[in-house]
Amino acid sequence: MAQKLVVGNWKLNGSLAANDALLGGCVALVGVDMAVCVPFPYLAQVGSCLTGMALGAQTVSEFQSGAYTGEVSAEMLAEVGCRYVIVGHSERRTLFGENNVTVGRKTVAALRAGLVPIVCVGESLAEREAGQVMEVIGRQLDAVRECIGVQGLSRTVIAYEPVWAIGTGRAASADEAQEVHAGIRRWLAEHGAPAEEIRILYGGSVKADNAEALFAMPDVDGGLIGGASLVARDFMAICQAAMANGGG
Ligand code: PEP
């Protein structure tokens, strides 16, 4: 596996001044791939001052152009310098009505524009307690595979984000994460995808003090970081933990 990838998801946070201050405390590290996914209005600002770090967005329209007020196309994101776009984040699924079908379409749109979609999958607490983790994730992945095929899957990054761990301070343990990541990799292999080449990130309450253990797991290829990516020192500590465990 290539070196690890750490992606900050700023969510609905930031201002011109706050972004400058945050990025002023972040430096690209050799041996780990780093990216930040920022709100649309700040893509130009952040893109202009990133060196050695990639730019990304947090969602994308399934449509390319036309009468879709408020939407932002993948082509627009590519044109302003994005490399990544998050699709299917659980907050988009639960708060904004996205489902497996729309996530599949958005993944198609991202690939069409040459972006790398970071496809989020993960179970709720009730689904975990019912023993349905891989069943739920298999359905989420299947919907994407039906839209982009195995070839398309090989151009994605998968993010395992258990819903119960996002923004709660309760991260999956390293062993819990590893078990699901191995399951996702198995699923990819069983469906004919180049499983060893597809990065599988873990997201959900990753902090400076648990990153090391998570990134030491053989199937954890990096992290999708929410809250901790808003504090330069914490984000850098997480990136350093990824660097120290590079090479997957
Ligand atoms: C996320 O929003 O993708 C996320 C993982 O958030 P947090 O790190 O804050 O749990």
Side-chain angles (χ1 to χ4, degrees):
M1 179 58 64
Q3 59 192 17
K4 289 196 185 337
L5 169 64
V6 179
V7 180
N9 173 15
W10 288 6
K11 311 195 192 203
L12 181 51
N13 293 291
S15 68
L16 293 172
N19 303 344
D20 266 343
L22 174 52
L23 292 169
C26 297
V27 287
L29 302 174
V30 175
V32 56
D33 292 330
M34 296 162 62
V36 284
C37 292
V38 310
F40 292 140
Y42 300 132
L43 285 170
Q45 178 207 13
V46 173
S48 72
C49 56
L50 285 180
T51 41
M53 263 189 259
L55 182 66
Q58 300 171 14
T59 185
V60 65
S61 179
E62 65 188 81
F63 304 110
Q64 189 162 4
S65 65
Y68 301 106
T69 302
E71 292 287 272
V72 174
S73 74
E75 285 72 14
M76 292 171 183
L77 296 178
E79 191 175 32
V80 298
C82 286
R83 173 165 170 68
Y84 294 102
V85 63
I86 298 169
V87 293
H89 191 284
S90 73
E91 287 155 11
R92 305 255 3 134
R93 292 178 190 256
T94 55
L95 302 173
F96 299 101
E98 294 190 11
N99 56 41
N100 285 346
V101 174
T102 51
V103 172
R105 291 187 188 139
K106 284 170 183 248
T107 309
V108 171
L111 291 177
R112 182 187 64 218
L115 299 173
V116 178
I118 300 173
V119 180
C120 298
V121 297
E123 82 288 357
S124 67
L125 189 56
E127 289 163 340
R128 171 162 281 261
E129 286 172 350
Q132 296 169 341
V133 176
M134 275 317 295
E135 195 182 317
V136 169
I137 293 175
R139 274 200 302 271
Q140 293 168 335
L141 290 173
D142 240 337
V144 171
R145 183 185 58 92
E146 277 167 19
C147 291
I148 63 172
V150 169
Q151 280 295 335
L153 274 180
S154 66
R155 294 163 56 204
T156 67
V157 169
I158 310 289
Y160 169 53
E161 296 214 308
V163 178
W164 46 271
I166 297 176
T168 60
R170 181 190 163 191
S173 70
D175 286 339
E176 285 170 334
Q178 168 57 26
E179 186 182 354
V180 179
H181 281 230
I184 293 173
R185 212 177 297 285
R186 221 169 16 251
W187 185 97
L188 291 167
E190 283 165 7
H191 289 80
E196 293 304 322
E197 291 163 29
I198 298 173
R199 280 164 153 167
I200 307 172
L201 310 184
Y202 169 77
S205 296
V206 179
K207 306 286 178 215
D209 60 5
N210 60 12
E212 186 86 39
L214 286 161
F215 295 154
M217 291 292 126
D219 287 299
V220 178
D221 304 315
L224 182 54
I225 318 299
S229 72
L230 298 170
V231 179
R233 203 177 39 186
D234 294 348
F235 188 58
M236 288 309 301
I238 291 166
C239 291
Q240 264 150 2
M243 187 178 67
N245 288 280

